[in-house]
Amino acid sequence: MSVVGGATGEAMSTYVPTPATIQREWHVIDAGEHVLGRVATVAAKLLQGKHKPQYAPFLDTGDFVIITNAARVTLTGAKEEQKLYRYHSGYEGGLREERAKTLRQRRPARMVEEAVRGMLPKTKLGNAMYRKLKVYAGPDHPHAAQRPAPLEVS
């Protein structure tokens, strides 16, 4: 059964973007003094391509995202002292836990990476989206040649 469209009576087809037609842009987000979750949701939306009219859930149509000043991102409430980041070595008894406060001192970009990663699909497609994320603890980044457009987090 086909959907008839228009006055001519011919079948309509759905537009599916091809890798050649997908245009990727670069965005830079200054995370300093912004809440971690707000920055992560904006970044995840850009990485998935949900802001584009040709978005398709089964294709990677997203853009590249650079996040700077990740060390200055804020956490609300008592999360700085209470939030735990867990990872496992793969060995028996290999569960490691670290509070957000110590993780910020040791690897400040990791908090933002984990937050964005959790908002992306848990598939190979999500891994491809995650690879387009670049996070830096300070204000500088080596991607000036790509001319990223600054993006404000509201």
Side-chain angles (χ1 to χ4, degrees), residues 83-102:
K83 184 170 176 62
L84 291 175
Y85 288 89
R86 294 181 176 99
Y87 59 96
H88 202 283
S89 67
Y91 290 97
E92 191 172 336
L95 180 66
R96 303 284 184 251
E97 291 181 343
E98 189 172 18
R99 300 212 181 270
K101 184 177 182 179
T102 57

Side-chain angles (χ1 to χ4, degrees), residues 8-28:
T8 59
E10 52 194 50
M12 296 176 65
S13 62
T14 304
Y15 172 74
V16 178
T18 61
T21 61
I22 297 172
Q23 295 194 355
R24 302 196 190 281
E25 298 174 8
W26 285 75
H27 303 278
V28 62

